[in-house]
Amino acid sequence: MSQTSLVDQKSSHIKNVLHGFFLSVGTTVAEPSTILPLIISYFSGSSVIVGIFASLLKGGAIFVQMVAAFYAQSYRYMMPYLRLVFLARFLSWFGIGLVIAIYGDSNHHITLWGIGIGLFIFSFSAGFGAIYFKDIQGKIFSNKFRGKSMAYRQFFSGLGAILSGTTAGWFLSEFEAPHSFAYLFMASALIMGFGLVAFGTIEEPPKENIKEREGSFFQFLKDSFIYFHKSTTLKNQVLAYLFSYAHLIALPFIILDAKEHIELSGYVIGLLLSVQMAGGMLSNILWGKISSAGEDLKIVYISFGMFILSFLLAIFFHNIYIYTLIFFLIGASIDGLRLAFGNLILIIAPDDKRPVYVALQANISSIGLFFPILGGAILSVSNYTTIYIVAIVMLIVGLLYIKRG
């Protein structure tokens, strides 16, 4: 089959969507704005520890993406390497459940170490996977069709997350902690596996424009950051994406703030989580239309605005209805930024430099994945209002970089 005939295939589109759906069902049980903070706070009362673990879920990827890009730029096919990443993520996620089941209340320190190592491996392997995954998407979809496919993917990811949130709420209500946490991780790993198999069977076209690998990794890093400094568009886009992560300064702590004002039963937690995922799911109807029209920057502006509004509401209002609205807006914003920046980097990147551009955006912006640690540190010496204000100010800075780009 020719390379052009493998572009925009319906089967690839369906498998892309299925991967997003099942992955979302699996990972939502450790959603860093709701369930994960409650799990970690069960084993440790420290707000700093909560922030660290929220960062671990995604932050491990920052260390390896440039290494992955260095080797990937000369690969004709990415799928064999992506399948290995999928296996590592499955085993690490299932392993977290096993650690909680075995140690649980008997030894909180070992349990926390086990959860931390599992989250790091899950995130670390994703650093490689993100490069392979984006490169494959760049080959199997055209620019405009990719935005449509990703909107569908995120829509069904939201649906999967709602189902997961409802199920998680049931587990938390029907089983005593920490057994409920263990069951959540092990069951969700098995569900996640269906999505990994789906994407892993996509027929990948070979890359035609292959860049010869530099003589050393350090030379590659030097050349990569020359690209970054020379391209104003790339630089401002990456910095805007970095500051978009400012929402993570406050996001893991909204649920803990809510706990002081409303009763948080297992079903209420599941409701808030489902509402957040519904915000992401339903917003993708709008995001898909805007992206298909080639206006991804408009999505970025709207998403930043909704984050700022969410934190303003969290400062001034404390009831279940407002928290429901807050999590809905947050879900829509997260999906909007994920789709827009994911598509924008593939649009501006030349074929032979695609892994480099993706890695630069991912690595530099991923510093923001550690913002929950900053939020936890601020909260340990101040209050929730302070972390909301800091998040808002940094989001405004991000808006300035968008305008400059």
Side-chain angles (χ1 to χ4, degrees):
M1 187 176 290
S2 67
Q3 180 171 353
T4 55
S5 64
L6 293 176
V7 177
D8 293 346
Q9 275 197 326
K10 185 176 180 180
S11 61
S12 298
H13 167 57
I14 292 172
K15 290 175 180 179
N16 182 45
V17 172
L18 286 174
H19 175 247
F21 174 79
F22 286 112
L23 183 64
S24 179
V25 171
T27 57
T28 299
V29 301
E31 215 293 316
S33 64
T34 49
I35 296 180
L36 185 61
L38 295 174
I39 292 176
I40 302 307
S41 65
Y42 177 88
F43 296 109
S44 171
S46 168
S47 62
V48 175
I49 294 295
V50 172
I52 290 173
F53 275 77
S55 296
L56 276 176
L57 183 58
K58 296 183 181 294
I62 190 174
F63 299 110
V64 296
Q65 291 199 9
M66 292 304 293
V67 176
F70 171 62
Y71 289 100
Q73 61 185 328
S74 62
Y75 294 162
R76 193 169 294 275
Y77 293 97
M78 303 287 178
M79 190 61 79
Y81 305 98
L82 184 60
R83 288 170 185 152
L84 292 176
V85 168
F86 285 167
L87 178 62
R89 283 166 70 79
F90 171 80
L91 293 175
S92 60
W93 201 253
F94 192 84
I96 292 173
L98 281 179
V99 169
I100 297 175
I102 294 171
Y103 295 100
D105 278 334
S106 64
N107 194 316
H108 283 198
H109 291 295
I110 292 179
T111 302
L112 282 171
W113 272 103
I115 295 173
I117 292 171
L119 290 176
F120 180 78
I121 293 174
F122 187 80
S123 177
F124 185 85
S125 59
F128 288 94
I131 301 300
Y132 310 144
F133 180 76
K134 282 293 183 184
D135 197 79
I136 291 171
Q137 285 191 323
K139 290 192 287 183
I140 63 176
F141 299 131
S142 61
N143 287 337
K144 289 191 175 181
F145 188 85
R146 188 188 310 113
K148 177 182 176 181
S149 183
M150 290 306 294
Y152 272 96
R153 175 190 170 92
Q154 292 186 178
F155 178 88
F156 283 98
S157 294
L159 177 60
I162 291 173
L163 296 175
S164 180
T166 303
T167 304
W170 181 83
F171 268 96
L172 294 173
S173 296
E174 295 298 320
F175 298 98
E176 291 289 331
H179 301 295
S180 57
F181 306 149
Y183 300 152
L184 278 173
F185 273 99
M186 289 188 286
S188 63
L190 297 174
I191 295 172
M192 186 194 307
F194 290 107
L196 305 182
V197 171
F199 197 89
T201 57
I202 287 177
E203 190 172 1
E204 176 194 7
K207 182 186 290 187
E208 297 297 333
N209 299 320
I210 297 179
K211 185 178 183 295
E212 184 177 348
R213 191 184 302 167
E214 289 82 354
S216 69
F217 177 65
F218 293 105
Q219 183 62 44
F220 166 73
L221 285 179
K222 181 180 177 181
D223 292 346
S224 298
F225 283 98
I226 288 174
Y227 299 148
F228 178 76
H229 286 294
K230 283 186 176 180
S231 174
T232 302
T233 301
L234 174 63
K235 185 190 303 182
N236 288 334
Q237 178 174 310
V238 169
L239 291 175
Y241 197 23
L242 168 61
F243 280 97
S244 76
Y245 282 112
H247 73 274
L248 293 178
I249 293 173
L251 185 55
F253 305 101
I254 294 177
I255 194 72
L256 301 182
D257 186 17
K259 191 176 181 180
E260 297 185 3
H261 300 283
I262 62 176
E263 183 179 352
L264 281 182
S265 65
Y267 286 110
V268 171
I269 296 167
L271 169 66
L272 292 176
L273 178 56
S274 295
V275 166
Q276 178 179 335
M277 300 309 148
M281 182 183 73
L282 297 176
S283 67
N284 279 289
I285 299 173
L286 175 62
W287 303 150
K289 291 181 178 179
I290 297 176
S291 182
S292 295
E295 298 187 73
D296 293 275
L297 278 177
K298 184 181 291 184
I299 299 175
V300 176
Y301 281 115
I302 296 172
S303 298
F304 267 77
M306 289 194 296
F307 269 134
I308 293 171
L309 175 60
S310 298
F311 297 137
L312 288 173
L313 290 173
I315 292 172
F316 295 107
F317 301 96
H318 307 98
N319 61 69
I320 185 62
Y321 304 107
I322 295 299
Y323 284 122
T324 300
L325 176 59
I326 288 171
F327 279 103
F328 184 89
L329 292 173
I330 286 172
S333 304
I334 291 173
D335 269 30
L337 293 176
R338 183 187 300 128
L339 186 151
F341 281 110
N343 207 31
L344 284 168
I345 194 64
L346 294 176
I347 290 172
I348 68 173
D351 288 350
D352 61 333
K353 294 186 178 68
R354 187 186 296 132
V356 178
Y357 273 54
V358 171
L360 282 169
Q361 173 166 289
N363 264 259
I364 296 173
S365 65
S366 288
I367 296 171
L369 295 174
F370 295 95
F371 283 162
I373 300 175
L374 173 61
I378 294 172
L379 184 59
S380 67
V381 297
S382 187
N383 54 40
Y384 292 107
T385 299
T386 303
I387 60 174
Y388 296 143
I389 292 173
V390 172
I392 290 171
V393 170
M394 291 183 66
L395 285 166
I396 293 172
V397 173
L399 282 172
L400 296 178
Y401 276 108
I402 295 171
K403 291 181 178 180
R404 288 172 60 186

